């Protein structure tokens, strides 16, 4: 557990620093800096940020149980989001650590059902999503501007789909 805490959530001592998952600071880290630290696997272009995406080799991370880690950059090649996947049984290990590091905004951890939590740090949001019928959970670190672009694009896609369905009736 100590490895998990130290490796996953390393925070700069500066009071206004963004989260630094895996030693990569959101809003500051560049692709070339990440390539100097890790072997990156090209995952294409993100449709919400317009920037490149890279998978990290989880074996390089030294984080117990991590299943996947995706880095999302913006068009300026600045890290805007990190999406990770863990086995759902890690929820009880991750939540207390996140609560120590970030301001808890919302938490829904029922005995049975979908579990979720939302944290804030500077202009970043940290989301935990553990669906009831899944064996995995997501831990997402995101700049707020990326989250806004994502939410706006999803709403537009849903409206377009609804309009298309209505036109077919």
């Amino acid at each position: 557990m100590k490895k998990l805490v130290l490796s996953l959530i390393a925070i700069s001592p500066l009071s206004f620093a963004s989260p630094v998952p895996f030693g990569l600071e959101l809003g500051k880290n560049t692709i070339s800096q990440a390539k100097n630290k890790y072997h990156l696997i090209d995952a294409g272009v993100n449709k919400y940020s317009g920037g490149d995406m890279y998978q990290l080799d989880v074996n390089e991370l030294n984080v117990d149980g991590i299943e996947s880690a995706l880095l999302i950059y913006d068009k300026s090649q600045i890290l805007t989001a990190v999406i990770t996947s863990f086995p759902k049984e890690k929820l009880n290990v991750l939540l207390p650590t996140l609560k120590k590091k970030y301001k808890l905004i919302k938490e829904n951890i029922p005995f049975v059902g979908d579990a979720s939590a939302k944290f804030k740090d500077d202009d970043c949001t940290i989301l935990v999503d553990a669906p009831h019928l899944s064996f995995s959970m997501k831990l997402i670190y995101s700049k707020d501007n990326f989250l806004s672009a994502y939410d706006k694009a999803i709403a537009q896609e849903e409206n377009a789909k609804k309009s298309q369905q209505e036109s077919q009736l």
Side-chain angles (χ1 to χ4, degrees), residues 4 8-9 82-110 113-120 124-132 134-142 147:
L4 175 70
L8 179 61
I9 307 169
V82 177
I83 301 174
T84 64
S85 178
F86 286 89
K88 197 160 55 174
E89 64 260 13
K90 294 290 181 185
L91 181 65
N92 293 328
V93 173
L94 293 173
L95 279 178
T97 302
L98 293 167
K99 286 177 182 178
K100 288 179 190 174
K101 297 286 185 182
Y102 309 111
K103 180 181 178 186
L104 179 64
I105 302 299
K106 183 168 59 171
E107 180 181 54
N108 179 31
I109 312 296
D114 295 343
S116 63
K118 180 178 182 177
F119 301 86
K120 286 292 292 173
C124 298
T125 299
I126 300 94
L127 301 169
V128 176
D129 181 32
H132 174 61
S134 176
F135 294 108
S136 293
M137 59 174 265
K138 296 282 186 214
L139 172 58
I140 301 168
Y141 296 84
S142 175
L147 215 50

Side-chain angles (χ1 to χ4, degrees), residues 26-142:
L26 280 134
K28 294 194 178 164
N29 178 264
T30 64
I31 294 172
S32 61
Q33 289 170 324
K35 284 182 177 179
N36 287 336
K37 190 167 187 148
Y38 298 108
H39 174 255
L40 303 182
I41 304 160
D42 189 352
V45 175
N46 185 271
K47 72 179 190 176
Y48 306 110
S49 72
D52 295 333
M53 296 187 301
Y54 295 93
Q55 284 285 342
L56 290 175
D57 179 353
V58 295
N59 296 318
E60 289 183 70
L61 299 178
N62 197 28
V63 175
D64 187 37
I66 190 166
E67 297 170 336
S68 67
L70 179 69
L71 306 178
I72 300 175
Y73 289 84
D74 63 17
K75 290 178 183 176
S76 302
Q77 299 188 344
I78 302 296
L79 185 64
T80 191
V82 177
I83 301 174
T84 64
S85 178
F86 286 89
K88 197 160 55 174
E89 64 260 13
K90 294 290 181 185
L91 181 65
N92 293 328
V93 173
L94 293 173
L95 279 178
T97 302
L98 293 167
K99 286 177 182 178
K100 288 179 190 174
K101 297 286 185 182
Y102 309 111
K103 180 181 178 186
L104 179 64
I105 302 299
K106 183 168 59 171
E107 180 181 54
N108 179 31
I109 312 296
F111 183 70
V112 175
D114 295 343
S116 63
K118 180 178 182 177
F119 301 86
K120 286 292 292 173
D121 186 47
D122 196 21
D123 62 345
C124 298
T125 299
I126 300 94
L127 301 169
V128 176
D129 181 32
H132 174 61
L133 296 176
S134 176
F135 294 108
S136 293
M137 59 174 265
K138 296 282 186 214
L139 172 58
I140 301 168
Y141 296 84
S142 175

